[in-house]
Coordinates of all heavy atoms in Angstrom, one line a residue:
M16 N 16.5 23.2 -4.4 CA 17.7 23.0 -5.1 C 17.9 24.1 -6.0 O 17.1 24.7 -6.5 CB 17.6 21.6 -5.8 CG 17.4 20.4 -4.9 SD 17.4 18.8 -5.8 CE 15.8 19.1 -6.6
V17 N 19.3 24.4 -6.2 CA 19.7 25.4 -7.1 C 19.8 25.0 -8.5 O 20.5 24.0 -8.8 CB 21.1 26.0 -6.6 CG1 21.5 27.3 -7.6 CG2 21.0 26.5 -5.2
P18 N 19.0 25.6 -9.4 CA 19.1 25.2 -10.8 C 20.5 25.5 -11.4 O 21.1 26.4 -10.9 CB 18.0 26.0 -11.5 CG 17.1 26.5 -10.4 CD 17.9 26.6 -9.2
E19 N 20.8 24.8 -12.5 CA 22.1 25.0 -13.1 C 22.5 26.5 -13.4 O 23.6 27.0 -13.1 CB 22.2 24.2 -14.3 CG 23.6 24.2 -14.9 CD 24.6 23.4 -14.1 OE1 24.4 22.5 -13.5 OE2 25.8 24.0 -14.1
E20 N 21.4 27.2 -13.9 CA 21.7 28.6 -14.4 C 22.1 29.5 -13.2 O 22.6 30.7 -13.4 CB 20.6 29.1 -15.2 CG 19.2 29.2 -14.5 CD 18.4 28.0 -14.8 OE1 18.9 26.9 -15.2 OE2 17.1 28.1 -14.7
Y21 N 21.8 29.1 -12.0 CA 22.1 30.0 -10.8 C 23.2 29.4 -10.0 O 23.6 30.1 -8.9 CB 20.8 30.0 -9.9 CG 19.7 30.9 -10.6 CD1 18.5 30.3 -11.1 CD2 19.9 32.3 -10.6 CE1 17.5 31.1 -11.6 CE2 18.8 33.1 -11.2 CZ 17.7 32.4 -11.6 OH 16.7 33.2 -12.2
R22 N 23.8 28.3 -10.3 CA 24.8 27.8 -9.4 C 26.1 28.5 -9.3 O 26.5 28.8 -8.2 CB 25.1 26.3 -9.9 CG 24.0 25.3 -9.7 CD 24.5 23.9 -9.6 NE 23.4 23.1 -9.2 CZ 23.0 22.1 -9.8 NH1 23.6 21.6 -10.9 NH2 22.0 21.4 -9.5
E23 N 26.6 29.1 -10.4 CA 27.7 30.0 -10.4 C 27.5 31.2 -9.6 O 28.3 31.5 -8.7 CB 28.1 30.3 -11.8 CG 29.5 31.1 -11.9 CD 29.9 31.5 -13.1 OE1 29.6 30.7 -14.1 OE2 30.4 32.6 -13.4
L24 N 26.3 32.0 -9.8 CA 26.0 33.0 -8.9 C 25.9 32.7 -7.5 O 26.4 33.3 -6.6 CB 24.7 33.5 -9.5 CG 24.0 34.7 -8.7 CD1 24.9 36.0 -8.9 CD2 22.6 35.1 -9.2
T25 N 25.3 31.5 -7.2 CA 25.1 31.1 -5.8 C 26.5 30.9 -5.1 O 26.7 31.3 -4.0 CB 24.3 29.9 -5.7 OG1 22.9 30.2 -6.3 CG2 24.0 29.5 -4.3
E26 N 27.4 30.2 -5.9 CA 28.6 30.0 -5.4 C 29.5 31.2 -5.2 O 30.1 31.4 -4.0 CB 29.5 29.1 -6.2 CG 29.0 27.7 -6.4 CD 29.6 26.8 -7.4 OE1 30.6 27.3 -8.1 OE2 29.2 25.6 -7.6
R27 N 29.4 32.2 -6.1 CA 30.0 33.6 -5.9 C 29.5 34.2 -4.7 O 30.2 34.9 -3.9 CB 29.9 34.4 -7.1 CG 30.7 34.0 -8.2 CD 30.9 35.1 -9.3 NE 29.7 35.8 -9.6 CZ 28.9 35.5 -10.6 NH1 29.4 34.7 -11.5 NH2 27.8 36.2 -10.9
H28 N 28.2 34.3 -4.5 CA 27.6 34.9 -3.4 C 28.0 34.3 -2.1 O 28.4 34.9 -1.0 CB 26.0 34.8 -3.4 CG 25.4 35.9 -4.2 ND1 24.4 35.6 -5.2 CD2 25.8 37.1 -4.6 CE1 24.1 36.7 -5.9 NE2 25.0 37.7 -5.6
A29 N 28.1 33.0 -2.0 CA 28.5 32.3 -0.7 C 29.9 32.6 -0.4 O 30.3 32.9 0.8 CB 28.4 30.7 -1.0
K30 N 30.9 32.6 -1.4 CA 32.2 33.0 -1.2 C 32.3 34.5 -0.8 O 33.1 34.7 0.2 CB 33.0 32.7 -2.5 CG 34.5 32.9 -2.2 CD 35.2 32.6 -3.6 CE 36.7 32.8 -3.6 NZ 37.3 33.3 -2.4
S31 N 31.7 35.2 -1.4 CA 31.6 36.7 -1.0 C 31.2 36.9 0.5 O 31.7 37.6 1.3 CB 30.7 37.5 -1.9 OG 30.7 38.8 -1.5
I32 N 30.1 36.2 0.8 CA 29.6 36.3 2.2 C 30.6 35.9 3.2 O 30.7 36.5 4.2 CB 28.2 35.4 2.3 CG1 27.1 36.0 1.4 CG2 27.8 35.4 3.8 CD1 26.0 35.2 1.3
L33 N 31.2 34.8 3.0 CA 32.1 34.1 3.9 C 33.4 35.0 3.9 O 34.0 35.2 5.0 CB 32.5 32.7 3.5 CG 31.3 31.8 3.8 CD1 31.7 30.4 3.3 CD2 30.9 31.7 5.3
D34 N 33.9 35.4 2.8 CA 35.2 36.2 2.7 C 35.0 37.6 3.4 O 35.9 38.1 4.1 CB 35.6 36.3 1.2 CG 36.1 35.1 0.7 OD1 36.3 34.2 1.4 OD2 36.4 35.1 -0.5
E35 N 33.9 38.3 3.0 CA 33.7 39.7 3.5 C 33.0 39.7 4.8 O 32.9 40.8 5.4 CB 33.0 40.4 2.5 CG 33.7 40.6 1.2 CD 32.9 41.2 0.0 OE1 31.8 41.8 0.4 OE2 33.2 41.1 -1.1
N36 N 32.5 38.6 5.3 CA 31.6 38.6 6.5 C 30.5 39.5 6.6 O 30.3 40.2 7.6 CB 32.5 38.6 7.7 CG 31.9 38.1 9.0 OD1 31.3 37.0 8.9 ND2 32.1 38.8 10.1
K37 N 29.8 39.7 5.4 CA 28.7 40.7 5.3 C 27.5 40.0 4.7 O 27.7 39.0 3.8 CB 29.1 41.8 4.3 CG 30.2 42.7 4.9 CD 30.5 43.9 3.9 CE 31.6 44.7 4.4 NZ 31.9 45.9 3.4
P38 N 26.3 40.3 5.2 CA 25.1 39.7 4.7 C 24.8 40.3 3.2 O 25.3 41.3 3.0 CB 24.0 40.1 5.7 CG 24.5 41.4 6.4 CD 26.1 41.2 6.3
T39 N 24.0 39.5 2.5 CA 23.6 40.0 1.2 C 22.3 40.7 1.5 O 21.6 40.7 2.5 CB 23.2 38.9 0.3 OG1 22.1 38.1 0.8 CG2 24.4 38.0 0.0
G40 N 21.9 41.5 0.5 CA 20.6 42.1 0.5 C 19.5 40.9 0.0 O 19.9 39.8 0.0
I41 N 18.4 41.3 -0.3 CA 17.5 40.5 -0.8 C 17.7 40.1 -2.3 O 17.9 41.1 -3.1 CB 16.0 40.9 -0.5 CG1 15.8 41.0 1.0 CG2 14.9 40.1 -1.2 CD1 14.4 41.6 1.4
I42 N 17.8 38.9 -2.7 CA 18.0 38.6 -4.0 C 16.9 37.7 -4.6 O 16.5 36.7 -3.9 CB 19.3 37.7 -4.1 CG1 20.5 38.6 -3.6 CG2 19.6 37.3 -5.7 CD1 21.7 37.7 -3.4
E43 N 16.3 38.1 -5.8 CA 15.2 37.3 -6.4 C 15.8 36.4 -7.3 O 16.8 36.7 -8.1 CB 14.2 38.2 -7.1 CG 13.4 39.0 -6.2 CD 12.3 39.8 -6.9 OE1 12.0 39.5 -8.1 OE2 11.6 40.7 -6.2
K44 N 15.4 35.1 -7.3 CA 15.8 34.1 -8.2 C 14.9 32.9 -8.2 O 13.8 33.0 -7.6 CB 17.3 33.6 -7.8 CG 17.5 33.0 -6.4 CD 18.8 32.5 -6.3 CE 19.1 32.1 -4.9 NZ 20.5 31.8 -4.6
Q45 N 15.2 31.8 -8.9 CA 14.3 30.7 -8.9 C 15.1 29.5 -8.3 O 16.3 29.3 -8.5 CB 13.9 30.3 -10.4 CG 12.9 31.3 -10.9 CD 12.4 30.8 -12.3 OE1 13.2 30.3 -13.2 NE2 11.1 31.0 -12.5
L46 N 14.3 28.7 -7.6 CA 14.8 27.5 -7.1 C 14.0 26.3 -7.6 O 12.9 26.5 -8.0 CB 14.9 27.4 -5.6 CG 15.8 28.4 -4.9 CD1 15.6 28.3 -3.3 CD2 17.3 28.2 -5.3
R47 N 14.6 25.1 -7.6 CA 14.0 23.9 -8.2 C 13.5 23.1 -6.8 O 14.1 23.0 -5.9 CB 14.9 23.1 -8.9 CG 14.1 21.9 -9.6 CD 14.9 21.3 -10.7 NE 15.5 22.2 -11.7 CZ 14.7 22.7 -12.7 NH1 13.4 22.4 -12.8 NH2 15.3 23.5 -13.6
R48 N 12.2 22.9 -6.9 CA 11.5 22.1 -5.8 C 11.8 20.6 -6.1 O 12.5 20.3 -7.1 CB 10.0 22.1 -5.9 CG 9.5 23.5 -5.5 CD 8.0 23.5 -5.5 NE 7.5 24.8 -5.0 CZ 6.4 25.4 -5.5 NH1 5.8 25.0 -6.5 NH2 6.1 26.5 -4.9
F49 N 11.7 19.8 -5.0 CA 12.0 18.4 -5.2 C 11.2 17.6 -6.3 O 11.6 16.6 -6.8 CB 11.8 17.6 -3.8 CG 12.8 18.0 -2.8 CD1 12.5 18.7 -1.6 CD2 14.2 17.7 -3.0 CE1 13.5 19.0 -0.7 CE2 15.2 18.2 -2.1 CZ 14.8 18.7 -1.0
D50 N 10.0 18.3 -6.6 CA 9.3 17.6 -7.7 C 9.7 18.2 -9.1 O 9.1 18.0 -10.1 CB 7.8 17.8 -7.5 CG 7.4 19.3 -7.6 OD1 8.3 20.2 -7.9 OD2 6.2 19.6 -7.5
S51 N 10.8 18.8 -9.1 CA 11.4 19.5 -10.3 C 10.8 20.8 -10.8 O 11.4 21.2 -11.8 CB 11.6 18.4 -11.4 OG 12.4 17.4 -11.0
S52 N 9.8 21.1 -10.2 CA 9.2 22.5 -10.7 C 10.0 23.6 -10.1 O 10.7 23.5 -9.1 CB 7.7 22.5 -10.3 OG 7.7 22.7 -8.9
L53 N 9.9 24.8 -10.8 CA 10.7 25.9 -10.4 C 9.8 26.8 -9.6 O 8.6 26.9 -10.0 CB 11.2 26.8 -11.7 CG 12.3 26.1 -12.5 CD1 12.6 27.0 -13.8 CD2 13.5 25.9 -11.6
V54 N 10.4 27.5 -8.7 CA 9.6 28.4 -7.8 C 10.3 29.7 -7.7 O 11.5 29.7 -7.6 CB 9.3 27.8 -6.5 CG1 10.7 27.5 -5.6 CG2 8.5 28.6 -5.6
D55 N 9.6 30.9 -7.8 CA 10.2 32.1 -7.7 C 10.4 32.4 -6.1 O 9.5 32.2 -5.4 CB 9.4 33.2 -8.3 CG 9.2 33.3 -9.8 OD1 10.4 33.2 -10.3 OD2 8.1 33.3 -10.3
V56 N 11.7 32.9 -5.8 CA 11.9 33.0 -4.4 C 12.7 34.4 -4.3 O 13.3 34.8 -5.2 CB 12.7 31.9 -3.8 CG1 11.9 30.6 -3.7 CG2 14.0 31.7 -4.4
E57 N 12.8 34.8 -3.1 CA 13.7 36.0 -2.6 C 14.4 35.3 -1.4 O 13.9 34.7 -0.6 CB 13.0 37.3 -2.4 CG 12.1 37.3 -1.2 CD 11.4 38.6 -1.1 OE1 11.4 39.5 -2.0 OE2 10.9 38.9 0.0
T58 N 15.8 35.6 -1.5 CA 16.7 34.9 -0.4 C 17.5 36.2 0.2 O 17.8 37.1 -0.5 CB 17.5 33.9 -1.0 OG1 18.5 34.6 -2.0 CG2 16.9 32.7 -1.7
S59 N 17.9 35.9 1.4 CA 18.9 36.8 2.0 C 19.8 35.8 2.8 O 19.3 34.9 3.4 CB 18.2 37.9 2.9 OG 17.4 37.2 3.9
C60 N 21.0 36.1 2.9 CA 22.0 35.2 3.5 C 22.8 36.1 4.4 O 23.3 37.2 4.2 CB 22.8 34.6 2.5 SG 22.0 33.6 1.2
T61 N 23.1 35.5 5.6 CA 23.8 36.1 6.7 C 24.9 35.2 7.1 O 24.7 34.0 7.4 CB 22.9 36.5 7.9 OG1 21.7 37.3 7.4 CG2 23.7 37.2 8.9
P62 N 26.2 35.7 7.3 CA 27.2 34.9 7.8 C 27.1 34.7 9.3 O 26.6 35.6 10.0 CB 28.5 35.7 7.5 CG 28.0 37.1 7.4 CD 26.7 37.1 6.9
V63 N 27.2 33.4 9.7 CA 27.1 33.1 11.1 C 28.2 32.1 11.6 O 28.9 31.6 10.7 CB 25.7 32.5 11.4 CG1 24.6 33.4 11.2 CG2 25.5 31.1 10.7
L64 N 28.4 32.0 12.8 CA 29.4 30.9 13.4 C 28.5 29.8 13.8 O 27.6 29.9 14.6 CB 30.2 31.5 14.5 CG 31.4 32.3 14.1 CD1 32.1 32.8 15.4 CD2 32.3 31.6 13.2
Y65 N 28.8 28.6 13.3 CA 28.0 27.4 13.8 C 29.0 26.3 14.2 O 29.9 25.9 13.5 CB 27.1 26.9 12.6 CG 26.5 25.6 13.0 CD1 25.3 25.7 13.8 CD2 26.8 24.4 12.5 CE1 24.6 24.5 14.1 CE2 26.2 23.2 12.9 CZ 24.9 23.3 13.7 OH 24.3 22.2 14.0
E66 N 29.0 26.0 15.5 CA 29.9 25.0 16.0 C 31.4 25.6 15.8 O 32.3 24.8 15.3 CB 29.7 23.6 15.6 CG 28.5 23.1 16.1 CD 28.1 21.7 15.7 OE1 29.0 21.1 14.9 OE2 27.1 21.1 16.1
D67 N 31.6 26.9 16.0 CA 32.9 27.5 15.8 C 33.4 27.5 14.3 O 34.6 27.5 14.1 CB 34.0 26.9 16.7 CG 33.6 27.3 18.2 OD1 33.1 28.3 18.5 OD2 34.0 26.4 19.1
K68 N 32.6 27.3 13.4 CA 32.9 27.3 11.9 C 32.1 28.3 11.2 O 30.9 28.5 11.6 CB 32.7 25.9 11.3 CG 33.7 24.8 11.9 CD 33.2 23.5 11.3 CE 34.0 22.4 11.9 NZ 33.7 21.1 11.4
K69 N 32.7 29.0 10.2 CA 31.9 29.9 9.4 C 30.8 29.1 8.7 O 31.0 28.1 8.1 CB 32.9 30.6 8.2 CG 33.7 31.6 8.8 CD 34.5 32.3 7.8 CE 35.3 33.4 8.3 NZ 36.0 34.2 7.1
A70 N 29.6 29.8 8.7 CA 28.5 29.2 8.0 C 27.6 30.3 7.3 O 27.9 31.4 7.7 CB 27.7 28.3 8.9
I71 N 26.6 30.0 6.6 CA 25.7 31.0 6.1 C 24.3 30.5 6.5 O 23.9 29.4 6.2 CB 25.9 31.0 4.5 CG1 27.3 31.5 4.2 CG2 24.8 31.9 4.0 CD1 27.5 31.4 2.7
Q72 N 23.6 31.4 7.0 CA 22.2 31.2 7.4 C 21.4 31.9 6.1 O 21.6 33.1 5.9 CB 21.7 31.9 8.7 CG 20.3 31.8 8.9 CD 19.9 32.4 10.2 OE1 20.8 32.9 10.9 NE2 18.7 32.4 10.5
S73 N 20.7 31.1 5.4 CA 19.8 31.7 4.4 C 18.3 31.6 4.7 O 17.8 30.7 5.2 CB 20.0 30.7 3.1 OG 21.3 30.9 2.7
V74 N 17.6 32.7 4.4 CA 16.2 32.7 4.5 C 15.6 32.9 3.1 O 16.1 33.7 2.3 CB 15.8 34.0 5.3 CG1 14.3 34.2 5.3 CG2 16.4 34.0 6.7
V75 N 14.7 31.8 2.8 CA 14.2 31.8 1.5 C 12.6 31.9 1.6 O 12.0 31.3 2.4 CB 14.4 30.4 0.9 CG1 13.9 30.3 -0.5 CG2 15.9 30.2 0.8
R76 N 12.1 32.9 0.8 CA 10.7 33.1 0.9 C 10.1 32.9 -0.6 O 10.5 33.5 -1.6 CB 10.5 34.6 1.3 CG 9.0 35.0 1.3 CD 9.0 36.4 2.1 NE 7.7 36.9 1.6 CZ 7.4 38.2 1.2 NH1 8.6 39.0 1.3 NH2 6.3 38.7 0.9
D77 N 9.0 32.2 -0.7 CA 8.3 31.8 -1.9 C 7.4 33.0 -2.4 O 6.7 33.7 -1.6 CB 7.4 30.7 -1.7 CG 6.6 30.4 -3.1 OD1 6.5 31.1 -3.9 OD2 6.2 29.2 -3.0
I78 N 7.9 33.7 -3.4 CA 7.2 34.8 -4.0 C 6.4 34.6 -5.2 O 6.3 35.5 -6.1 CB 8.2 36.0 -4.3 CG1 9.4 35.6 -5.2 CG2 8.8 36.5 -2.8 CD1 10.2 36.8 -5.6
T79 N 6.1 33.3 -5.6 CA 5.4 32.9 -6.7 C 4.2 33.7 -7.0 O 3.9 34.2 -8.1 CB 5.1 31.5 -6.8 OG1 6.3 30.7 -6.6 CG2 4.4 31.0 -8.1
E80 N 3.2 33.8 -6.0 CA 2.1 34.5 -6.1 C 2.3 36.0 -6.4 O 1.6 36.6 -7.3 CB 1.2 34.4 -4.8 CG -0.2 35.1 -4.9 CD -1.0 34.8 -3.6 OE1 -0.7 33.9 -2.9 OE2 -1.9 35.7 -3.3
R81 N 3.3 36.6 -5.8 CA 3.5 38.0 -6.0 C 4.0 38.2 -7.5 O 3.6 39.2 -8.1 CB 4.6 38.5 -5.0 CG 4.8 40.1 -5.2 CD 5.9 40.6 -4.3 NE 7.2 40.3 -5.0 CZ 8.4 40.4 -4.4 NH1 8.6 40.5 -3.1 NH2 9.5 40.2 -5.0
K82 N 4.9 37.3 -7.9 CA 5.4 37.5 -9.3 C 4.3 37.2 -10.4 O 4.2 38.0 -11.4 CB 6.5 36.4 -9.6 CG 7.7 36.6 -8.7 CD 8.3 38.0 -8.9 CE 9.3 38.0 -10.0 NZ 10.1 39.4 -10.1
E83 N 3.4 36.5 -10.1 CA 2.2 36.2 -10.9 C 1.4 37.5 -11.0 O 0.9 37.9 -12.1 CB 1.4 35.0 -10.5 CG 2.0 33.7 -10.7 CD 1.3 32.5 -10.2 OE1 0.2 32.6 -9.6 OE2 1.9 31.4 -10.4
I84 N 1.1 38.1 -9.8 CA 0.3 39.3 -9.8 C 1.1 40.4 -10.5 O 0.4 41.2 -11.3 CB 0.1 39.8 -8.3 CG1 -0.9 38.8 -7.7 CG2 -0.5 41.1 -8.3 CD1 -1.0 38.9 -6.2
E85 N 2.4 40.6 -10.3 CA 3.1 41.5 -11.2 C 3.1 41.4 -12.6 O 2.9 42.3 -13.4 CB 4.6 41.5 -10.6 CG 4.9 42.0 -9.3 CD 6.4 41.9 -8.8 OE1 7.1 41.2 -9.6 OE2 6.6 42.2 -7.8
R86 N 3.2 40.1 -13.1 CA 3.1 39.8 -14.5 C 1.6 40.3 -15.0 O 1.5 40.8 -16.1 CB 3.4 38.4 -14.8 CG 4.8 38.0 -14.7 CD 5.2 36.6 -15.2 NE 4.8 35.6 -14.2 CZ 5.5 35.2 -13.4 NH1 6.8 35.6 -13.1 NH2 5.1 34.2 -12.5
T87 N 0.7 39.8 -14.2 CA -0.7 40.3 -14.7 C -0.9 41.7 -14.7 O -1.5 42.3 -15.6 CB -1.7 39.6 -13.6 OG1 -1.6 38.2 -13.6 CG2 -3.1 39.9 -14.0
L88 N -0.4 42.4 -13.6 CA -0.5 43.9 -13.7 C 0.2 44.5 -14.8 O -0.3 45.5 -15.4 CB -0.1 44.5 -12.4 CG -0.9 44.3 -11.2 CD1 -0.1 44.7 -9.9 CD2 -2.2 45.0 -11.3
E89 N 1.4 44.1 -15.1 CA 2.1 44.5 -16.3 C 1.3 44.4 -17.7 O 1.1 45.2 -18.4 CB 3.4 43.9 -16.4 CG 4.4 44.4 -17.4 CD 5.8 43.8 -17.5 OE1 6.1 43.3 -16.5 OE2 6.3 43.7 -18.6
K90 N 0.8 43.1 -17.8 CA -0.1 42.8 -19.0 C -1.2 43.7 -19.1 O -1.5 44.3 -20.1 CB -0.5 41.3 -18.9 CG -1.3 40.9 -20.1 CD -1.8 39.5 -19.9 CE -2.7 39.1 -21.2 NZ -3.3 37.8 -21.0
V91 N -2.0 43.9 -18.0 CA -3.2 44.8 -17.9 C -2.7 46.2 -18.2 O -3.5 46.9 -19.0 CB -4.0 44.7 -16.6 CG1 -5.0 45.7 -16.6 CG2 -4.5 43.2 -16.5
S92 N -1.7 46.6 -17.7 CA -1.3 48.0 -18.0 C -0.8 48.3 -19.3 O -1.3 49.3 -19.8 CB 0.1 48.3 -17.0 OG 0.4 49.6 -17.3
K93 N -0.3 47.3 -20.0 CA 0.0 47.5 -21.4 C -1.3 47.5 -22.2 O -1.5 48.3 -23.2 CB 0.9 46.3 -21.9 CG 2.3 46.4 -21.5 CD 3.2 45.2 -22.0 CE 4.6 45.3 -21.5 NZ 5.4 44.2 -22.0
E94 N -2.3 46.7 -21.8 CA -3.6 46.6 -22.6 C -4.2 48.0 -22.4 O -4.9 48.5 -23.3 CB -4.4 45.5 -22.1 CG -3.9 44.2 -22.6 CD -4.7 43.0 -21.9 OE1 -5.8 43.2 -21.2 OE2 -4.4 41.8 -22.3
I95 N -4.3 48.5 -21.2 CA -4.9 49.8 -20.9 C -4.2 50.9 -21.7 O -5.0 51.8 -22.3 CB -4.9 50.2 -19.4 CG1 -5.8 49.2 -18.6 CG2 -5.3 51.6 -19.1 CD1 -5.7 49.3 -17.2
N96 N -2.9 50.9 -21.7 CA -2.2 51.9 -22.5 C -2.5 51.9 -24.0 O -2.7 52.9 -24.7 CB -0.7 51.8 -22.3 CG -0.3 52.4 -20.9 OD1 -1.0 53.2 -20.4 ND2 0.8 51.9 -20.4
T97 N -2.7 50.6 -24.5 CA -3.0 50.4 -25.9 C -4.3 51.0 -26.2 O -4.7 51.7 -27.2 CB -2.9 48.9 -26.3 OG1 -1.5 48.5 -26.0 CG2 -3.3 48.7 -27.7
L98 N -5.3 50.6 -25.3 CA -6.7 51.0 -25.5 C -7.0 52.5 -25.3 O -7.9 53.0 -25.7 CB -7.7 50.2 -24.6 CG -7.6 48.7 -25.0 CD1 -8.4 47.9 -23.9 CD2 -8.2 48.5 -26.4
S99 N -6.2 53.1 -24.5 CA -6.4 54.6 -24.0 C -5.6 55.6 -24.8 O -5.6 56.7 -24.5 CB -6.1 54.7 -22.5 OG -4.7 54.6 -22.4
A100 N -5.0 55.1 -26.0 CA -4.3 56.1 -26.9 C -5.3 57.1 -27.4 O -6.3 56.7 -28.1 CB -3.6 55.4 -28.0
P101 N -5.1 58.4 -27.1 CA -6.1 59.4 -27.6 C -6.1 59.5 -29.1 O -5.1 59.4 -29.8 CB -5.6 60.7 -27.0 CG -4.2 60.5 -26.7 CD -4.0 58.9 -26.5
V102 N -7.3 59.7 -29.7 CA -7.4 60.0 -31.1 C -7.5 61.5 -31.3 O -8.4 62.2 -30.7 CB -8.8 59.3 -31.7 CG1 -9.0 59.6 -33.1 CG2 -8.6 57.8 -31.4
V103 N -6.6 62.0 -32.2 CA -6.6 63.6 -32.3 C -7.1 63.8 -33.8 O -6.6 63.4 -34.8 CB -5.1 64.0 -32.2 CG1 -5.1 65.5 -32.4 CG2 -4.5 63.7 -30.9
P104 N -8.3 64.4 -33.8 CA -8.9 64.8 -35.2 C -8.0 66.0 -35.8 O -7.7 66.9 -35.1 CB -10.4 65.3 -34.7 CG -10.3 65.5 -33.4 CD -9.2 64.8 -32.7
I105 N -7.8 65.7 -37.1 CA -7.0 66.7 -37.8 C -8.0 67.5 -38.8 O -8.0 68.7 -38.8 CB -5.9 66.1 -38.6 CG1 -4.9 65.5 -37.6 CG2 -5.2 67.1 -39.5 CD1 -3.7 64.8 -38.2
L106 N -8.7 66.7 -39.6 CA -9.7 67.2 -40.5 C -11.1 66.4 -40.2 O -11.0 65.4 -39.6 CB -9.3 67.1 -42.0 CG -7.9 67.8 -42.4 CD1 -7.4 67.3 -43.6 CD2 -8.1 69.3 -42.4
E107 N -12.0 66.8 -40.9 CA -13.2 66.1 -40.8 C -13.0 64.6 -41.4 O -12.7 64.5 -42.6 CB -14.4 66.8 -41.5 CG -15.7 66.0 -41.3 CD -16.9 66.8 -41.9 OE1 -16.8 68.0 -42.0 OE2 -17.9 66.1 -42.1
G108 N -13.2 63.7 -40.5 CA -13.0 62.2 -41.0 C -11.6 61.7 -41.0 O -11.3 60.7 -41.4
V109 N -10.7 62.6 -40.6 CA -9.2 62.2 -40.5 C -8.7 62.5 -39.0 O -8.9 63.6 -38.5 CB -8.4 63.0 -41.5 CG1 -7.0 62.7 -41.3 CG2 -8.9 62.9 -42.9
A110 N -8.1 61.4 -38.5 CA -7.6 61.6 -37.1 C -6.3 60.9 -37.0 O -6.0 60.0 -37.9 CB -8.6 61.0 -36.1
V111 N -5.4 61.2 -36.0 CA -4.2 60.4 -35.9 C -4.1 60.0 -34.4 O -4.7 60.5 -33.5 CB -3.0 61.4 -36.1 CG1 -3.0 61.8 -37.6 CG2 -3.0 62.5 -35.2
L112 N -3.2 58.9 -34.3 CA -2.9 58.4 -33.0 C -1.5 58.8 -32.7 O -0.7 58.6 -33.4 CB -3.1 56.9 -32.8 CG -4.5 56.4 -33.0 CD1 -4.5 55.0 -33.3 CD2 -5.3 56.7 -31.8
P113 N -1.2 59.3 -31.5 CA 0.1 59.6 -31.2 C 1.1 58.3 -30.9 O 0.5 57.3 -30.7 CB 0.1 60.4 -29.8 CG -1.3 60.2 -29.3 CD -2.0 59.7 -30.4

């Protein structure tokens, strides 16, 4: 299910796909599961004819695990950068951090 914050965007994309008859690229967003939890997904949509009517075929892929890994890598990278700041000695007993 499409959460409220993505409904307008989803409607605009659907209208654009049908009007221009062009597929979308891959779009990352969140969808709501039937149990009301949010899930990170990437979607791609393609205009098709279904029973002689314009329709949209959507492919949705769960990317929750990938997004969790990306968040963890970003956190670790920030920690590494914080810990690896070089200490530059200026005088005996005096040093600076850039």
Side-chain angles (χ1 to χ4, degrees):
M16 296 184 289
V17 179
E19 187 64 39
E20 60 267 24
Y21 289 107
R22 287 203 177 128
E23 185 180 324
L24 175 67
T25 302
E26 289 172 5
R27 281 198 320 258
H28 281 140
K30 184 174 179 356
S31 173
I32 293 165
L33 293 174
D34 290 348
E35 298 174 17
N36 201 38
K37 292 182 182 176
T39 65
I41 295 174
I42 300 168
E43 288 187 13
K44 59 183 176 182
Q45 289 184 317
L46 294 179
R47 190 165 303 282
R48 292 182 172 143
F49 289 115
D50 67 0
S51 296
S52 64
L53 291 174
V54 59
D55 292 311
V56 298
E57 59 183 22
T58 64
S59 60
C60 301
T61 304
V63 295
L64 283 177
Y65 179 74
E66 295 182 356
D67 295 325
K68 294 179 186 174
K69 285 185 175 182
I71 298 172
Q72 177 181 357
S73 296
V74 176
V75 180
R76 181 173 156 220
D77 183 341
I78 58 170
T79 302
E80 186 176 334
R81 186 183 86 199
K82 297 301 275 186
E83 288 173 1
I84 291 169
E85 287 173 359
R86 285 188 285 270
T87 300
L88 287 173
E89 184 177 333
K90 181 182 173 187
V91 169
S92 178
K93 285 180 182 178
E94 289 175 6
I95 288 171
N96 286 336
T97 300
L98 295 172
S99 66
V102 177
V103 180
I105 296 179
L106 300 169
E107 187 175 331
V109 179
V111 294
L112 293 169

